[in-house]
Amino acid sequence: MTFPYKLVATDLDGTLLRGDDTVSERTREALAAATAAGAAHIIVTGRAVPWTRHILDDLGYEGLAVCGQGAQVYHAGEHKLLTSLTLDRQLAGLALSKIEAEVGPLHLAASRDGLEGEVLVGPGYQVQEGPLPYLFVDDATEMWTAPLNKVYIQHPELDDDALAFAARAAVGSLVDVVMAGAGVVEILPLGLSKATGLSLAARRLGVKAADTIAFGDMPNDIPMFGWAQHGVAMANAHDDLKAVAHEITASNEDDGIAVVLEELLRSAPVQPVRQDEPVR
């Protein structure tokens, strides 16, 4: 059997993971079948490594993962950080001041760099319920005392899309701003995206954009869809991602990844047996 892609890139939250942070058995089996047919699977997530590692371990995932919106390439089997890009804290501070000059005070959180980097949460920032660890700080200046890979921003009145739009307009070319999920608007190093991280990981595997099918659900997946040969949006995806997707599948709760992979596996041509090979 010849699978049409050499690389399957999947976002994590809202895509590979269901709402209870698990991966269905059907999706696990479809990914296993795709890899058995010759494709590599790479998880490409906005989560930094400390928030991703336990999921990879639970999956028995030993390959490369792209974390932190592309900032980190992580070898899950070796528990090793291969590449890591940090946010210039001076530029980030300037960007925040420009955003606040336009929309008023922001609530902040920040993700520290490294395998054990904590996520620091400042006053007023609303964290999502769940098992992910946070470190609450009373003084937001504590966030700036160590290297960061991103800063999270929230506004007391603006919704995510409006905040991201206003922030991009305010910061110009200082940094990048991305909306990665409900309540998750992030400030990133300029030029960083899931596409840049995925391209680094793919190069290590010897595969190209033309060999890649990608799955996602949020606007931060748009660059990845632009890089990959084929972009598949989940039914639960943000409208901005659906607008640029090549295909829309079922939701993350309804095994959308498996639906597509199973069809590709069914339609994959069977390699002919060479005349000098015994039939098995």
Side-chain angles (χ1 to χ4, degrees), residues 16-18 21-35 55-61 255 257-258 261:
L16 181 63
L17 294 181
R18 295 178 290 189
D21 278 352
T22 63
V23 180
S24 75
E25 191 60 34
R26 180 183 176 186
T27 296
R28 288 177 187 248
E29 290 176 357
L31 285 167
T35 55
I55 294 171
L56 303 181
D57 291 344
D58 177 63
L59 288 172
Y61 184 97
D255 300 305
I257 291 174
L261 295 183

Side-chain angles (χ1 to χ4, degrees), residues 4-86:
Y5 299 99
K6 295 179 181 177
L7 185 61
V8 178
T10 64
D11 174 44
L12 202 56
D13 295 283
T15 303
L16 181 63
L17 294 181
R18 295 178 290 189
D20 61 0
D21 278 352
T22 63
V23 180
S24 75
E25 191 60 34
R26 180 183 176 186
T27 296
R28 288 177 187 248
E29 290 176 357
L31 285 167
T35 55
H41 173 217
I42 286 188
I43 288 174
V44 186
T45 177
R47 299 188 190 206
V49 170
W51 276 9
T52 310
R53 188 169 50 218
H54 67 287
I55 294 171
L56 303 181
D57 291 344
D58 177 63
L59 288 172
Y61 184 97
E62 296 186 345
L64 300 182
V66 177
C67 302
Q69 302 295 11
Q72 301 169 318
V73 177
Y74 172 67
H75 194 302
E78 298 178 0
H79 293 92
K80 182 179 179 182
L81 196 56
L82 302 180
T83 65
S84 186
L85 179 66
T86 57

Side-chain angles (χ1 to χ4, degrees), residues 94-104 106 153 163 166-168 170-171 175 177 187:
L94 179 58
L96 286 171
S97 67
K98 287 180 174 292
I99 298 168
E100 290 188 324
E102 294 298 324
V103 302
L106 299 168
I153 61 174
L163 176 58
R168 285 191 203 100
V171 302
V175 294
V177 178
I187 292 176

Side-chain angles (χ1 to χ4, degrees), residues 130-166:
L132 298 177
Y134 302 89
L135 182 62
F136 290 93
V137 294
D138 294 327
D139 184 354
T141 60
E142 293 182 40
M143 298 181 189
W144 306 95
T145 59
L148 305 174
N149 53 50
K150 68 174 76 175
V151 172
Y152 301 91
I153 61 174
Q154 289 179 348
H155 190 275
E157 297 174 0
L158 296 177
D159 66 22
D160 301 325
D161 288 312
L163 176 58
F165 181 84

Side-chain angles (χ1 to χ4, degrees), residues 173-245:
S173 59
L174 286 175
V175 294
D176 275 343
V177 178
V178 68
M179 201 275 271
V184 184
V185 177
E186 302 175 357
I187 292 176
L188 305 171
L190 187 66
L192 177 69
S193 72
K194 287 188 174 185
T196 58
L198 180 56
S199 65
L200 286 175
R203 194 176 307 145
R204 287 178 174 267
L205 296 175
V207 296
K208 301 176 181 179
D211 303 321
T212 304
I213 182 171
F215 295 82
D217 74 311
M218 280 292 163
N220 61 322
D221 294 313
I222 291 174
M224 180 169 70
F225 278 23
W227 183 84
Q229 175 69 22
H230 193 75
V232 183
M234 315 304 286
N236 51 287
H238 191 284
D239 287 344
D240 288 355
L241 186 67
K242 288 181 177 178
V244 301

